[in-house]
Amino acid sequence: AFTSDDRQIAMGTEHGSIHFFDISKRTWEKAIHYPENVTVRAITFTDAGKTMLSASNQNDIQLWNLATGEIVYELDADV
């Protein structure tokens, strides 16, 4: 997924990590991690670029604070 300013790409892994690549610098900037080992299936950013949503193979959706790298809210999609 691209950030709203098209400066970074986020890539999810099958090991529960989301990595951020800075396009202009051509470098990996940081990574955030799920508390458990899951496969990241989808990522999208909010328009403001301060938060991100992700979905995993555990049928849940997380809202991430990108400044802290922490999950702010989690929704169980099995409901």
Side-chain angles (χ1 to χ4, degrees):
F2 286 90
T3 55
S4 59
D5 60 7
D6 290 332
R7 296 177 67 178
Q8 289 189 329
I9 299 172
M11 179 192 76
T13 71
E14 62 184 19
H15 304 291
S17 297
I18 300 172
H19 299 271
F20 296 87
F21 184 81
D22 186 300
I23 296 168
S24 64
K25 294 179 186 175
R26 297 183 181 194
T27 58
W28 292 102
E29 295 293 304
K30 64 179 178 180
I32 56 178
H33 308 280
Y34 275 77
E36 62 265 348
N37 193 15
V38 300
T39 299
V40 180
R41 299 267 171 123
I43 301 169
T44 190
F45 292 93
T46 62
D47 289 337
K50 296 182 180 183
T51 56
M52 174 185 73
L53 290 166
S54 66
S56 77
N57 65 330
Q58 300 294 316
N59 294 328
D60 53 7
I61 299 167
Q62 289 74 26
L63 175 65
W64 297 83
N65 177 324
L66 293 177
T68 65
E70 297 192 10
I71 296 171
V72 177
Y73 185 79
E74 189 167 6
L75 175 66
D76 182 0
D78 284 334
V79 176

